[in-house]
């Protein structure tokens, strides 16, 4: 029997898939308490995790551990070097949440373009006002720049194209012919593309090359009437620089699902601006998305034990 620890709540179907395997001893989140966690960690060969930090103190208690599965695609809370030192495999669920995040990205674009939050608040306060000159915008015909063209970025591109938008793509890892072949416009010169785009949407991982990429210089290159969308990682944005840009009236709006420090301990200053629309990192957390991620997490565990874990799911081995 291989002991599998599920540290945080996931969809019951994912737990059921693991429990149905006769070779798995499943310890679900309802079985775990602060008092018995060390004992469970000591025998665990695999862990599925959503929000719990996988750090060195936790790993020191899990000497039999061979696999960590992130329920999702981000692994900022996982100490990857510590896993590598131990030869522990880290896996993600790469396809499970891409559609949900792509749809959320379009929701942010639409909500900001049509100023849904402002109109909703106005009507609820008793003001039924139809502006003579509307400040809202159509998505049709607008130029959107996607920074990153992976599983989510490619889906966002297709959704934007469906709205009749002109789609620019900047991703040094993707050949221009590939972008062009899919019907979109490669934008190798990022600065020139930022100056052109009416909407800029981030779809990059957070790493040494991209962390705080949205800084003062980046924002200054954007059109003053542009929208900035971030449903990727909060650490892509220098939040102090964003606050400065908003304070001087730069940008038509900002739509974000992520902030630099999660969970939020203090409200970042830039969130005080009415032009900012924020959600609490829920882009992937639709009922369907959570179901897909739970099943994919369970499959990763079972495939790993069978020696058949998909290379696409492996971050490090």
């Amino acid at each position: 029997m291989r002991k599998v620890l599920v540290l945080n709540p996931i969809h019951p179907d994912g737990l059921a898939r693991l429990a149905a395997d006769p070779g798995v001893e499943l310890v679900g989140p309802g079985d775990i308490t602060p008092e018995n966690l060390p004992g469970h960690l000591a025998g665990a060969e695999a862990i599925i995790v959503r929000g719990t930090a996988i750090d060195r103190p936790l790993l020191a208690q899990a000497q039999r551990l061979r696999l960590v599965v992130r329920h999702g695609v981000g692994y900022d809370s996982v100490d990857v070097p510590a896993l590598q030192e131990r030869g522990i495999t880290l896996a993600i669920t790469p396809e499970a949440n891409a559609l949900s995040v792509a749809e959320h990205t379009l929701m942010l674009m639409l909500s900001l373009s049509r100023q849904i939050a402002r109109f909703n608040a106005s009507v609820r306060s008793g003001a039924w006002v139809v502006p003579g000159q509307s400040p809202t915008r159509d998505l049709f015909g607008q130029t959107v720049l996607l920074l990153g063209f992976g599983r989510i970025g490619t889906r966002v591109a297709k959704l934007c194209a469906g709205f009749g938008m002109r789609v620019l793509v900047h991703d040094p890892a993707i050949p221009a012919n590939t972008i062009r072949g899919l019907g979109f416009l490669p934008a190798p010169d990022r600065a020139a593309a930022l100056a052109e785009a009416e909407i800029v949407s981030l779809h990059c991982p957070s790493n040494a090359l991209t962390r705080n990429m949205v800084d003062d210089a980046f924002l200054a290159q954007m059109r003053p009437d542009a929208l900035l969308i971030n449903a990727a990682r909060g650490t892509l944005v220098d939040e102090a620089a964003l606050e400065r840009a908003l304070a001087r009236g730069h940008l038509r709006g900002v739509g974000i699902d992520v902030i630099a420090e999660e969970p939020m301990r203090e409200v970042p200053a830039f969130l005080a601006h009415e032009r900012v629309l924020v959600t609490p990192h829920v882009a992937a957390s639709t009922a369907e998305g959570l179901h897909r991620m739970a099943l994919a997490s369970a499959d990763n565990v079972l495939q790993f034990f069978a020696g058949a874990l998909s290379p696409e799911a492996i971050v490090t081995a």
Side-chain angles (χ1 to χ4, degrees):
M1 296 284 285
R2 292 176 163 117
K3 191 169 189 175
V4 178
L5 216 57
V6 182
L7 294 179
N8 312 108
I10 68 172
H11 193 284
D13 286 355
L15 296 174
R17 183 164 292 185
L18 290 168
D21 190 295
V24 167
E25 178 192 351
L26 175 64
V27 180
D31 305 317
I32 299 171
T33 66
E35 293 73 28
N36 67 23
L37 177 60
H40 287 310
L41 285 170
E45 291 189 50
I47 289 175
I48 294 176
V49 61
R50 288 182 66 181
T52 301
I54 304 298
D55 52 19
R56 289 181 185 273
L58 184 145
L59 291 170
Q61 302 176 74
Q63 291 301 311
R64 296 185 62 191
L65 189 63
R66 299 167 54 201
L67 173 69
V68 172
V69 175
R70 256 294 280 132
H71 179 280
V73 295
Y75 45 91
D76 302 41
S77 60
V78 178
D79 189 333
V80 176
L83 295 189
Q84 291 174 318
E85 290 169 15
R86 293 262 305 272
I88 298 170
T89 297
L90 173 61
I92 58 175
T93 59
E95 296 289 346
N97 67 356
L99 172 63
S100 302
V101 177
E103 288 188 358
H104 196 90
T105 299
L106 263 291
M107 181 276 299
L108 292 172
M109 292 183 192
L110 284 163
S111 295
L112 287 169
S113 294
R114 296 303 182 92
Q115 299 198 11
I116 296 301
R118 184 173 71 84
F119 281 128
N120 178 66
S122 176
V123 173
R124 286 177 177 272
S125 71
W128 187 274
V129 178
V130 180
Q133 297 297 319
S134 177
T136 64
R137 298 277 308 272
D138 294 334
L139 289 187
F140 181 88
Q142 290 198 49
T143 296
V144 59
L145 170 62
L146 306 182
L147 298 177
F149 200 56
R151 294 178 180 88
I152 296 171
T154 53
R155 284 171 169 81
V156 172
K158 293 174 183 177
L159 292 174
C160 289
F163 275 86
M165 303 175 76
R166 179 170 174 263
V167 181
L168 306 180
V169 176
H170 176 82
D171 189 332
I174 306 297
N177 285 342
T178 299
I179 296 169
R180 195 176 291 110
L182 291 171
F184 311 115
L185 300 172
D189 186 336
R190 192 184 78 177
L194 286 172
E196 182 180 0
E198 292 150 295
I199 302 175
V200 176
S201 191
L202 309 180
H203 301 287
C204 310
S206 178
N207 55 40
L209 294 176
T210 61
R211 205 163 291 120
N212 288 325
M213 62 183 279
V214 181
D215 55 12
D216 288 300
F218 182 108
L219 291 162
Q221 290 168 342
M222 291 178 63
R223 293 169 49 134
D225 64 343
L227 299 179
L228 175 66
I229 308 294
N230 184 14
R233 284 291 177 267
T235 49
L236 299 176
V237 177
D238 179 339
E239 294 180 346
L242 181 57
E243 154 63 18
R244 288 189 289 269
L246 290 166
R248 66 174 184 269
H250 197 61
L251 301 183
R252 177 162 49 104
V254 176
I256 61 169
D257 183 52
V258 287
I259 61 173
E261 184 180 23
E262 297 181 11
M264 183 174 69
R265 292 179 175 83
E266 296 182 1
V267 179
F270 76 92
L271 291 183
H273 293 273
E274 292 184 355
R275 305 196 307 282
V276 178
L277 180 65
V278 59
T279 53
H281 205 149
V282 294
S285 298
T286 63
E288 297 85 356
L290 291 170
H291 187 241
R292 289 190 297 264
M293 284 186 282
L295 293 179
S297 296
D299 287 342
N300 281 347
V301 170
L302 299 177
Q303 290 169 9
F304 176 82
F305 288 147
L309 180 58
S310 169
E312 291 190 354
I314 298 173
V315 175
T316 182

